[in-house]
Amino acid sequence: VKEKRTGRERAFRMPGVCPVCRSKVERVGAIHFCTGGLSCPAQLKETIRHFVTKRAMDIDGLGGKHIDQFVEEGLLKDVSDIYSLNKKSIVGLERWADKSVENLLNAIERSKTPTLARLIYALGIRGVGEHMASLLAEEFGSLGALKKAKEEELLNIHEVGPETAHSIVEFFSEPHNIKVIEKLKKAGVVFPEKEKKKKGKLLGKSLLFTGALKSFTREEATRLVEAEGGSGAAGVSKKVDFVVAGEEPGSKYEKARKLGLRIISEREFKKILAKGQKGKRKGFI
């Protein structure tokens, strides 16, 4: 708006470091990102929300309102502080009774033994969803090995593109992120040195669940898939190998059908698991 100019204007320059946490700013396409994902106060609430989800560290009882409350009370300054929460620090806060505190602390304790894929996904690395986290866990076998990976090494992995490879390297080159990871270790979070299962009936396969399942919750079904070497998909895409359709599957089912994806019933899914558990490796995939 030229008529409002005073003559004292200056050209805007994108900062090289985040104005909040001082981490490096990276440009991807037309968008600039702060690389201090695990520790940046400006991203803190959303980082924690992602970290505690069922598909990540699975900390039941720590919902959005509770996260807001704990951050505002100064109890959570990064995700590692979740493991410093105790009864004394929570009891007395609004909406917290003895039983709800006990349930939360039990959930936090259970979350200390994630699979490697879930741990990688929980870190919230840009471009690393559930499926990619599973691929990286299988390829590197430990967080330490992934942390040392070079872009060229990552690009040799099927499905890892330049932007994702770059964001992984940048994430682990940011000192703030490494500091939080070390704090998680000290808090007792187990960092698997290798995946417990390097083989399985669903090794390398991606499964999407849609509709209501009779025998499992979706989280339980996803864990069973992971136990057989596969991964759970969050949405419909050509990368999905199987769509397991329960009752009233809805729009995902229709989209999968149009894409020509292989759709199986819950009964067929259970047969796959049964064959995998009995060691019958031939004849299905």
Side-chain angles (χ1 to χ4, degrees):
V1 182
K2 292 183 179 180
E3 58 270 23
K4 291 191 177 183
R5 292 181 182 176
T6 65
R8 296 191 298 272
E9 291 80 12
R10 292 181 300 165
F12 173 76
R13 294 184 184 278
M14 183 63 66
V17 295
C18 172
V20 178
C21 73
R22 311 307 295 172
S23 296
K24 185 180 177 182
V25 169
E26 276 291 313
R27 179 175 179 173
V28 180
I31 303 172
H32 291 76
F33 293 92
C34 163
T35 58
L38 286 179
S39 59
C40 181
Q43 303 177 63
L44 181 58
K45 290 180 180 179
E46 288 305 317
T47 299
I48 296 172
R49 284 188 178 96
H50 173 78
F51 187 84
V52 304
T53 57
K54 286 187 177 296
R55 297 178 182 274
M57 299 299 277
D58 191 14
I59 303 179
D60 192 29
L62 194 53
K65 289 183 180 179
H66 298 138
I67 291 169
D68 291 345
Q69 183 185 34
F70 288 164
V71 170
E72 286 155 16
E73 290 287 339
L75 297 177
L76 299 180
K77 294 182 175 64
D78 61 54
V79 295
S80 70
D81 288 335
I82 292 170
Y83 297 96
S84 298
L85 293 172
N86 54 58
K87 192 169 183 178
K88 185 178 179 181
S89 64
I90 302 173
V91 168
L93 295 179
E94 187 179 355
R95 298 189 298 272
W96 287 98
D98 284 352
K99 187 62 177 175
S100 56
V101 173
E102 182 181 337
N103 289 340
L104 173 60
L105 294 179
N106 287 337
I108 290 172
E109 189 63 29
R110 288 194 300 271
S111 77
K112 288 183 177 180
T113 54
T115 64
L116 179 57
R118 284 176 177 267
L119 177 62
I120 293 170
Y121 175 63
L123 296 178
I125 304 168
R126 188 173 68 254
V128 178
E130 289 178 83
H131 179 62
M132 182 60 66
S134 293
L135 289 177
L136 294 171
E138 170 127 5
E139 182 69 26
F140 291 97
S142 73
L143 194 68
L146 176 60
K147 185 170 67 173
K148 296 174 184 177
K150 306 296 184 186
E151 284 190 42
E152 297 78 14
E153 187 179 359
L154 289 160
L155 287 170
N156 285 330
I157 303 171
H158 179 59
E159 296 186 48
V160 177
E163 288 186 4
T164 300
H166 184 70
S167 69
I168 292 169
V169 171
E170 284 300 316
F171 179 90
F172 288 111
S173 66
E174 176 51 59
H176 291 117
N177 292 332
I178 299 303
K179 184 178 179 179
V180 175
I181 289 170
E182 290 303 316
K183 286 172 69 178
L184 286 170
K185 274 188 181 179
K186 288 179 181 178
V189 176
V190 176
F191 284 29
E193 283 301 312
K194 59 181 179 180
E195 286 289 73
K196 292 181 180 179
K197 195 135 184 161
K198 284 290 186 180
K199 57 184 179 179
K201 196 63 182 178
L202 295 169
L203 183 62
K205 302 295 181 182
S206 174
L207 279 76
L208 173 71
F209 295 93
T210 181
L213 302 177
K214 292 180 179 179
S215 303
F216 331 90
T217 64
R218 288 197 189 177
E219 288 73 31
E220 289 168 343
T222 300
R223 288 192 181 99
L224 290 169
V225 169
E226 291 172 349
E228 285 295 333
S231 62
V236 181
S237 75
K238 290 184 178 180
K239 295 179 181 178
V240 174
D241 296 290
F242 297 97
V243 176
V244 182
E247 295 181 350
E248 300 180 11
S251 60
K252 286 183 180 179
Y253 176 89
E254 290 302 320
K255 187 175 179 182
R257 190 176 59 79
K258 288 178 181 177
L259 284 175
L261 301 181
R262 184 168 181 180
I263 300 172
I264 61 174
S265 66
E266 181 178 353
R267 184 179 177 184
E268 290 173 296
F269 172 62
K270 290 169 75 174
K271 283 183 178 179
I272 299 171
L273 294 177
K275 287 181 180 180
Q277 290 160 3
K278 291 175 184 177
K280 296 177 182 178
R281 303 292 177 194
K282 297 179 181 179
F284 187 83
I285 298 173

